[in-house]
Amino acid sequence: YRYAADDETGEAAFSLLWPLADYKSRRGTITSASLLWWLMSYEHPDADHSAFHMLGSSNMAMIRRITSPAESLFEFNPILPVYRYRSQTSGGMSWDFCYGLIGMDSTHKQTRLTVLWVSL
């Protein structure tokens, strides 16, 4: 068990049998939390960025949700990439099933449909 807090910076950290459970905060706002580091992890380093991963880490997670000022991404990848949705603040949006078997890309100027990995 470990707990540390700094009143001057407002930062706090907690861990229990690391890496079983880990938690960090800044001025009462969660900056990161994890459970068995690969089972579930959440990072929120600032107001504009966040990342959530479940059953894996980084690009290999079964469920992945990432937000930033430029884009928002959601993926569901049980064994192979099944579903992906990406939305960009510039107005672009895309989604696909089965690693592009069926999908769509949309911008302000055009929309493309993908069927059997071929864009129409």
Side-chain angles (χ1 to χ4, degrees):
Y1 168 81
R2 179 178 177 267
Y3 176 78
D6 187 346
D7 291 334
E8 290 180 20
T9 62
E11 295 182 357
F14 165 80
S15 64
L16 178 66
L17 295 174
W18 189 91
L20 180 62
D22 187 42
Y23 169 87
K24 294 179 182 152
S25 69
R26 185 179 311 122
R27 292 182 188 86
T29 303
I30 299 171
T31 56
S32 71
S34 67
L35 183 62
L36 283 176
W37 85 92
W38 61 269
L39 182 63
M40 182 187 77
S41 68
Y42 172 76
E43 295 177 9
H44 190 68
D46 56 44
D48 296 328
H49 297 84
S50 67
F52 173 78
H53 299 92
M54 181 177 268
L55 295 173
S57 62
S58 190
N59 296 340
M60 303 301 290
M62 179 185 278
I63 298 172
R64 185 167 83 131
R65 171 84 167 117
I66 298 173
T67 59
S68 72
E71 71 178 352
S72 175
L73 172 71
F74 175 79
E75 290 183 338
F76 178 63
N77 306 310
I79 294 174
L80 297 172
V82 172
Y83 177 73
R84 179 184 61 136
Y85 175 82
R86 175 176 283 153
S87 175
Q88 299 173 336
T89 56
S90 62
M93 186 271 299
S94 67
W95 60 266
D96 61 66
F97 285 102
C98 298
Y99 205 60
L101 176 68
I102 298 170
M104 183 183 76
D105 288 322
S106 178
T107 63
H108 290 301
K109 296 181 181 182
Q110 70 177 1
T111 299
R112 287 188 331 210
L113 181 64
T114 303
V115 178
L116 298 175
W117 298 284
V118 176
S119 293
L120 305 173

